[in-house]
Amino acid sequence: VIAIADTIAVRVYYEDTDAAGIVYHANYLKYAERGRSDMLRSLGIGPRQLREETGVDFAVRRCTIEYLAAARLDDMLSVETRLEKFGVASLDIAHTIARDGEPLARLAILVACIGTDGRARRLPARLRAALAQVSQDPPTIVQKTP
Amino acid sequence: VIAIADTIAVRVYYEDTDAAGIVYHANYLKYAERGRSDMLRSLGIGPRQLREETGVDFAVRRCTIEYLAAARLDDMLSVETRLEKFGVASLDIAHTIARDGEPLARLAILVACIGTDGRARRLPARLRAALAQVSQDPPTIVQKTP
Amino acid sequence: VIAIADTIAVRVYYEDTDAAGIVYHANYLKYAERGRSDMLRSLGIGPRQLREETGVDFAVRRCTIEYLAAARLDDMLSVETRLEKFGVASLDIAHTIARDGEPLARLAILVACIGTDGRARRLPARLRAALAQVSQDPPTIVQKTP
Amino acid sequence: VIAIADTIAVRVYYEDTDAAGIVYHANYLKYAERGRSDMLRSLGIGPRQLREETGVDFAVRRCTIEYLAAARLDDMLSVETRLEKFGVASLDIAHTIARDGEPLARLAILVACIGTDGRARRLPARLRAALAQVSQDPPTIVQKTP
């Protein structure tokens, strides 16, 4: 069981909205990617380090989004990123984008490691180690709750 | 059975790409929306007319994307938009984004009519009429298949 | 003399970059607009309030940008927003976008108040009052420096 | 005297607009860049070829935009790109974005050649040759007009 979850705050600016007065639907994917990037960074290996030190990028392979309610100009949103599982070359990630606790969008995203040639690569050893580390911790945490 | 399908051409510019050298994943949703907008226009009721004449917008409710291969700078892509079915207040649309006949991404999108208050609305009568018109033509095609 | 200046922090994500590996040039305008929006908010009247309570938006009328050096993926940037002067219906704003104190881009922007019909409007009284308030303070500050 | 000018057509989609109901100001720079890219392509050396065959990109060094009127959802715009002059390592380009002959925005842009290290480079010989070719042609054209 993996239970890594991070939450970031995202402000909605004009750049995010469209003529219908709401956040343009594609931009929720940007918010989610900000959350994933920050989670990687919190594990000690941000997207640029990943590129420059290991020669890989994460590419989105599959994405499902449910839109529940619309975000609007100036809203302050929370973007939760949960690593649900990781494989040899990919990560399953879930995001919930919410405003004042009300979920506005839910995303399920499969990202895969690719090399500069676009082909699949194994997760870099350093990232796997960081993920294995955090995935072993949750039991300890669970035991804390009597 | 509905069988409305339109295909538009989309050029990839720098604005569409990211530091991994490929089209940023969220931008395929923009390409798909260009295809949907142009299909509406070909039915005689573009997005702005829809807004101004009937007071509704189409909002994306659910979206599933599969990414098969990456598009790159300067690529000329085709974006196919197929209306799969329509309900009282929503449309099911499938898109295939391809390069030289090779599919790069497949999208399944549910769009719903909303009013300026964000609440669901019935499809405007004029649009329903246009859709009913084109959906009555396919039976001829279906009869071809014994 | 007006001397209102705010600085916000902006992280560079994949969405901001392009295939040249740097932040896409148009995106510096987005960063600047985030800074302007936050400055308005700090004056007690954010962009959405402005829209909903006074029926006006700020529209950019003129913009000059000098690009000095490129921002890259994962960079943490500072976006400084300085209100240089304000007129009956417009604001002159200067932005400096920097990384670790090194300026990357300088922007001079003229924004004007427009109504929902797109025509010029006077600055809302409430905003003028807030601006007049802060523009009267600097002399005091200047006198502090012997 | 150089007189290379190309015009492309650009449709305004939801992705381009913002909550004020008009095209977001930064997006005019995207339209202009589409025009520049297509002009390079018409000279036989598109942005990707430039990257892959000569190792350089064009980076925007300075940009001045005047916004005259707003573009709206579904508008069909024309983007004119005029190469005003070229130096050893840079191009001066002017763009006019118009709707039905009415100019909406005027841009003056200085782009410079940079290597993958971000440093200035001379224009690739092949591009200089293409530019010299077209810049020698105008006199002939002028003589055609009695």
Side-chain angles (χ1 to χ4, degrees):
Chain A
V1 179
I2 302 180
I4 314 175
D6 275 348
T7 299
I8 62 169
V10 166
R11 172 73 74 181
V12 176
Y13 294 103
Y14 268 114
E15 67 183 271
D16 301 305
T17 59
D18 68 20
I22 58 180
V23 169
Y24 184 67
H25 68 287
N27 291 337
Y28 292 86
L29 275 84
K30 295 186 177 178
Y31 297 164
E33 198 253 314
R34 295 181 197 174
R36 288 197 302 283
S37 294
D38 285 359
M39 167 176 276
L40 282 178
R41 220 185 322 277
S42 75
L43 291 172
I45 183 159
R48 181 166 162 192
Q49 265 187 296
L50 198 67
R51 287 217 89 197
E52 296 183 351
E53 296 179 12
T54 70
V56 305
D57 289 296
F58 275 113
V60 176
R61 284 287 174 240
R62 197 169 52 233
C63 173
T64 301
I65 318 175
E66 273 188 286
Y67 297 92
L68 308 169
R72 294 180 177 276
L73 186 61
D74 280 1
D75 280 349
M76 183 59 90
L77 308 178
S78 66
V79 178
E80 190 198 41
T81 301
R82 294 186 309 281
L83 176 60
E84 305 238 308
K85 63 180 181 183
F86 66 94
V88 173
S90 64
L91 307 177
D92 266 289
I93 294 175
H95 298 277
T96 301
I97 297 175
R99 179 186 52 213
D100 299 332
E102 179 201 6
L104 305 183
R106 291 208 175 86
L107 300 91
I109 291 182
L110 175 69
V111 295
C113 258
I114 56 167
T116 50
D117 55 359
R119 288 168 180 275
R121 290 287 155 81
R122 298 172 68 90
L123 298 184
R126 186 171 150 197
L127 180 59
R128 284 188 68 82
L131 293 173
Q133 177 66 32
V134 288
S135 66
Q136 283 171 354
D137 292 347
T140 323
I141 295 169
V142 169
Q143 289 166 8
K144 278 184 188 167
T145 319
Chain B
V1 179
I2 302 180
I4 314 174
D6 275 348
T7 299
I8 62 169
V10 166
R11 172 73 74 179
V12 176
Y13 295 103
Y14 268 114
E15 67 184 90
D16 302 304
T17 59
D18 68 20
I22 58 180
V23 169
Y24 184 67
H25 68 287
N27 291 338
Y28 293 86
L29 276 84
K30 294 186 179 179
Y31 298 163
E33 199 254 312
R34 295 181 197 174
R36 286 197 302 282
S37 294
D38 286 359
M39 167 176 278
L40 282 178
R41 218 183 323 275
S42 75
L43 291 172
I45 182 158
R48 182 165 161 194
Q49 266 186 295
L50 199 67
R51 289 216 87 196
E52 296 182 352
E53 296 179 12
T54 70
V56 305
D57 288 297
F58 275 114
V60 176
R61 283 289 173 240
R62 196 169 53 233
C63 173
T64 301
I65 319 175
E66 273 189 286
Y67 297 92
L68 308 169
R72 293 180 178 277
L73 186 61
D74 281 1
D75 280 349
M76 183 59 90
L77 308 178
S78 65
V79 179
E80 190 198 41
T81 300
R82 293 187 309 281
L83 176 60
E84 305 239 309
K85 63 178 180 186
F86 67 93
V88 173
S90 65
L91 308 177
D92 266 289
I93 294 175
H95 298 276
T96 302
I97 298 174
R99 179 186 52 213
D100 299 332
E102 178 201 6
L104 304 184
R106 290 208 175 86
L107 300 91
I109 290 182
L110 175 68
V111 294
C113 258
I114 57 168
T116 51
D117 56 358
R119 288 168 181 274
R121 290 287 156 82
R122 297 172 70 90
L123 298 184
R126 186 171 151 197
L127 179 59
R128 283 188 68 82
L131 293 173
Q133 177 66 33
V134 289
S135 66
Q136 280 170 354
D137 295 344
T140 323
I141 296 169
V142 169
Q143 289 164 8
K144 281 182 188 168
T145 319
Chain C
V1 179
I2 302 181
I4 314 175
D6 275 349
T7 299
I8 62 168
V10 165
R11 172 74 74 179
V12 176
Y13 294 103
Y14 268 114
E15 67 184 270
D16 302 305
T17 60
D18 68 19
I22 58 180
V23 169
Y24 184 68
H25 68 287
N27 292 337
Y28 292 87
L29 275 84
K30 294 186 178 179
Y31 298 164
E33 198 253 313
R34 296 181 197 175
R36 287 197 302 282
S37 294
D38 286 0
M39 167 175 277
L40 282 178
R41 219 184 322 277
S42 75
L43 292 172
I45 184 159
R48 181 166 161 193
Q49 267 187 295
L50 199 67
R51 289 217 87 197
E52 295 182 353
E53 297 179 12
T54 70
V56 306
D57 288 297
F58 276 114
V60 176
R61 283 288 174 240
R62 196 169 52 233
C63 173
T64 301
I65 319 175
E66 273 188 287
Y67 297 93
L68 308 169
R72 293 179 178 276
L73 186 61
D74 280 1
D75 280 349
M76 184 60 90
L77 308 177
S78 66
V79 178
E80 191 197 43
T81 301
R82 293 187 309 281
L83 177 59
E84 306 238 309
K85 63 179 180 185
F86 67 94
V88 173
S90 64
L91 307 178
D92 266 289
I93 294 176
H95 299 276
T96 302
I97 298 175
R99 179 187 52 212
D100 300 331
E102 178 201 6
L104 305 183
R106 290 207 176 87
L107 300 92
I109 290 182
L110 174 69
V111 295
C113 258
I114 57 167
T116 50
D117 56 357
R119 287 168 180 274
R121 291 287 156 80
R122 296 173 70 90
L123 298 185
R126 186 171 151 200
L127 179 59
R128 284 189 68 82
L131 293 173
Q133 177 65 33
V134 289
S135 65
Q136 284 170 353
D137 293 347
T140 324
I141 295 169
V142 170
Q143 289 164 10
K144 281 183 187 168
T145 319
Chain D
V1 178
I2 301 181
I4 314 175
D6 275 348
T7 299
I8 62 169
V10 166
R11 172 74 74 180
V12 175
Y13 294 103
Y14 269 113
E15 66 183 272
D16 301 306
T17 59
D18 68 20
I22 58 180
V23 169
Y24 184 68
H25 68 288
N27 291 337
Y28 292 87
L29 276 84
K30 294 186 179 180
Y31 298 164
E33 199 254 313
R34 295 181 197 175
R36 288 196 302 282
S37 294
D38 286 359
M39 167 175 276
L40 283 178
R41 220 186 321 277
S42 75
L43 291 172
I45 183 159
R48 181 165 160 194
Q49 266 186 295
L50 199 68
R51 287 216 89 196
E52 296 184 351
E53 295 179 12
T54 69
V56 305
D57 288 297
F58 275 114
V60 176
R61 282 288 174 241
R62 196 169 53 233
C63 173
T64 301
I65 319 176
E66 272 189 287
Y67 297 92
L68 308 170
R72 293 180 178 275
L73 186 61
D74 281 1
D75 280 350
M76 183 59 90
L77 309 177
S78 66
V79 179
E80 190 197 41
T81 301
R82 294 187 308 281
L83 177 59
E84 306 238 307
K85 64 180 179 184
F86 67 94
V88 173
S90 64
L91 308 177
D92 266 289
I93 293 176
H95 298 276
T96 301
I97 297 175
R99 179 187 50 214
D100 299 331
E102 178 201 7
L104 305 183
R106 290 208 176 86
L107 300 92
I109 291 182
L110 174 69
V111 295
C113 257
I114 57 166
T116 50
D117 56 358
R119 288 169 179 273
R121 290 288 155 80
R122 298 171 69 90
L123 298 184
R126 186 172 150 196
L127 180 60
R128 284 188 68 83
L131 293 173
Q133 177 66 32
V134 288
S135 65
Q136 284 171 352
D137 293 347
T140 322
I141 295 169
V142 169
Q143 290 165 9
K144 279 183 190 168
T145 319

